[in-house]
Amino acid sequence: MNFSHELEQLLSALSETFKRDDGATKQTSEGFNIFSVLGVETKEVLICRFLGELLNPNGSHGMGDMPLTKFVQNVLQQEDFSHVDAQQAYIELEETIDSDRRVDIVIHTSKRVFPIEVKIRAKDQDEQLSDYFNYYKKHYGNDKVYYLTPTGWEPSKKSRGNLTVDKQIGLLSFHEDIRKWCEALCGNDRSPAVQCVKQFMEIIEKMCAEINELEAIKNVLGLNHPFDPNHPFDPNHPLMLSAIRLLKNKDEIEKTVMRNYLYARLKYTESKYSLDDPGKEDAAIDSHALLKIVSKKTKKTIAWICVATNLYLVAQKVKSGEMTRSNNEQLWINESSEKREYFWQYIAPTGYKTPKFPLKTLTEFPDGKIEIDAWLESIAQEDIER
């Protein structure tokens, strides 16, 4: 097999798929997004707490029962639900039922109960929705449970058992249902929660874009129809074999991409310094080192460019008085461990929105130069022992 040719076919197929995918919406926020900082898009418990607070008629959002009323009327499609019903309702999070199962969000009213299971990354459990349905049917006469996911996919057979989608299981999606509900809430400009809701809408877009990308990749590789005889899976298909080879070399490919990006973007005085790939001895300084910076004068390594999640610069020694700039801006962060003392600082491209530059998790790379001369000039080069 010509691996280069098959790999090119795989990358071409994925490229065309992503060009057609209009669902991969970028975040639009130019400022601080608390949900993004906390990584909330992958944390179901935190998302449920946020939704539960918005649904609470007495919540701190200051919108009264309006969020709950709109949610039940528009998302759950219970048009006869009134403000009076909402005022008498309460919200339970992780409500415990039989067999110590916990239902993510349950809306209790004087007439009805609406149990909602939220799934983002977690897998379905055996008989999960079936047990929920049977419990609320027995105790409240309920005839439906709801299943909320990023894009409204169906629960697995092992979770739903004999339940029927649409009739006994209501499918809900963050991308359609929750986003539209949030848009309606943002019409209340006087609420202190509006800015948070807007930021949460950005996280919904990010969450759904990542899932759509994964589904597109699985579709190209023929992995989306494991039980469909009309779409037989071929583990020896050239695209599948190419993908497996990429996965085997994922870590080294990732490092090489980041290194090449840094070689192209780092800006420094080339007459004074040079870049080189780190060796084994450099891992003792920082295991995340991708490049080392060598002084052309002393021929010694004076700093290391590193990436854990964010991009940062590490040095062993800095000049006396160079811990801060003249305006008292902190230039280096000093840390120590049992083995050594060292200095480090976040670095980012010119014009990047924050000092933290999450190079390891980026899907697109900004064009700005990463200027490091100011830091390099503050390093005590002559004193470094090698």
Side-chain angles (χ1 to χ4, degrees):
M1 184 206 313
N2 185 335
F3 175 61
S4 296
H5 174 68
E6 301 301 344
L7 179 59
E8 186 177 346
Q9 281 190 316
L10 172 63
L11 297 177
S12 177
L14 291 174
S15 178
E16 287 301 314
T17 296
F18 293 139
K19 281 181 183 178
R20 296 191 301 266
D21 182 13
D22 294 328
T25 307
K26 298 179 182 178
Q27 276 187 264
T28 58
S29 176
E30 295 295 329
F32 181 82
N33 188 311
I34 185 62
F35 298 104
S36 181
V37 170
L38 297 177
V40 166
E41 64 267 24
T42 63
K43 295 179 173 63
E44 293 169 2
V45 172
L46 294 181
I47 284 178
C48 289
R49 287 178 183 172
F50 180 68
L51 294 178
E53 181 64 17
L54 287 179
L55 291 170
N56 182 357
N58 300 310
S60 57
H61 47 73
M63 291 182 273
D65 61 71
M66 184 269 282
L68 177 60
T69 301
K70 286 188 176 295
F71 185 88
V72 177
Q73 289 178 347
N74 301 333
V75 178
L76 303 186
Q77 298 180 2
Q78 305 292 320
E79 296 180 359
D80 61 339
F81 188 81
S82 68
H83 287 285
V84 174
D85 295 325
Q87 290 168 2
Q88 298 173 349
Y90 65 94
I91 310 300
E92 287 284 353
L93 300 179
E94 296 192 38
E95 181 167 85
T96 303
I97 62 172
D98 295 342
S99 302
D100 201 33
R101 285 200 181 279
R102 297 177 184 273
V103 186
D104 290 325
I105 302 172
V106 184
I107 302 171
H108 287 267
T109 77
S110 60
K111 302 175 183 177
R112 288 165 288 185
V113 176
F114 303 102
I116 304 169
E117 176 64 15
V118 179
K119 290 290 183 188
I120 298 174
R121 295 286 178 87
K123 300 294 185 181
D124 287 343
Q125 301 173 24
D126 291 345
E127 304 295 326
Q128 188 173 24
L129 287 182
S130 179
D131 285 351
Y132 293 176
F133 178 86
N134 291 332
Y135 175 87
Y136 288 100
K137 179 75 172 177
K138 175 182 176 181
H139 292 278
Y140 298 95
N142 240 50
D143 58 1
K144 204 166 194 176
V145 294
Y146 294 89
Y147 189 69
L148 172 58
T149 63
T151 57
W153 64 69
E154 293 188 6
S156 64
K157 178 71 168 102
K158 72 175 184 179
S159 174
R160 68 177 185 261
N162 295 322
L163 300 183
T164 304
V165 171
D166 292 334
K167 182 178 180 181
Q168 295 158 312
I169 300 174
L171 300 181
L172 305 175
S173 83
F174 280 95
H175 191 258
E176 294 294 330
D177 302 300
I178 302 301
R179 183 175 56 82
K180 289 179 181 178
W181 174 62
C182 287
E183 286 177 352
L185 300 188
C186 289
N188 189 336
D189 294 334
R190 291 177 294 177
S191 169
V194 166
Q195 187 58 39
C196 287
V197 174
K198 289 179 179 178
Q199 290 190 349
F200 185 63
M201 290 170 64
E202 294 176 6
I203 292 303
I204 290 175
E205 294 299 327
K206 179 181 177 183
M207 172 205 306
C208 295
E210 291 175 351
I211 288 173
N212 286 338
E213 286 179 0
L214 176 59
E215 290 304 304
I217 293 171
K218 288 162 64 177
N219 196 51
V220 166
L221 297 175
L223 298 174
N224 278 340
H225 310 281
F227 305 111
D228 188 346
N230 296 318
H231 298 83
F233 170 60
D234 180 7
N236 293 313
H237 190 283
L239 296 186
M240 175 59 65
L241 294 177
S242 295
I244 290 172
R245 291 193 183 189
L246 281 176
L247 290 172
K248 286 181 178 179
N249 296 284
K250 172 186 175 295
D251 291 343
E252 191 54 42
I253 290 173
E254 183 180 62
K255 287 181 181 179
T256 303
V257 169
M258 291 191 291
R259 273 197 201 106
N260 287 0
Y261 173 79
L262 291 170
Y263 271 120
R265 298 301 175 200
L266 286 170
K267 184 178 179 181
Y268 54 93
T269 304
E270 295 184 17
S271 61
K272 293 183 177 181
Y273 314 106
S274 63
L275 296 178
D276 199 359
D277 291 341
K280 290 183 179 179
E281 70 279 4
D282 299 295
I285 302 298
D286 194 306
S287 60
H288 301 295
L290 285 180
L291 292 171
K292 61 183 179 181
I293 302 171
V294 179
S295 166
K296 288 187 174 180
K297 180 180 179 182
T298 65
K299 310 300 182 185
K300 296 176 181 178
T301 301
I302 64 167
W304 293 261
I305 305 292
C306 308
V307 177
T309 295
N310 296 292
L311 181 65
Y312 60 100
L313 182 68
V314 170
Q316 284 184 290
K317 293 185 178 181
V318 298
K319 295 176 183 177
S320 177
E322 290 289 346
M323 282 294 293
T324 60
R325 296 182 191 271
S326 58
N327 61 359
N328 291 325
E329 176 188 352
Q330 188 172 25
L331 185 61
W332 289 99
I333 299 169
N334 183 211
E335 291 192 8
S336 60
S337 65
E338 294 180 359
K339 296 181 178 179
R340 64 185 176 92
E341 183 180 45
Y342 63 100
F343 303 86
W344 69 276
Q345 183 57 273
Y346 289 119
I347 54 178
T350 304
Y352 195 69
K353 56 186 178 182
T354 70
K356 291 186 178 181
F357 180 56
L359 180 56
K360 191 175 179 66
T361 58
L362 289 179
T363 55
E364 294 184 3
F365 302 102
D367 293 332
K369 292 291 184 179
I370 305 170
E371 300 182 10
I372 57 174
D373 263 334
W375 286 287
L376 298 184
E377 288 298 308
S378 67
I379 293 173
Q381 300 175 30
E382 301 292 343
D383 298 330
I384 293 178
E385 298 177 3
R386 297 291 290 160

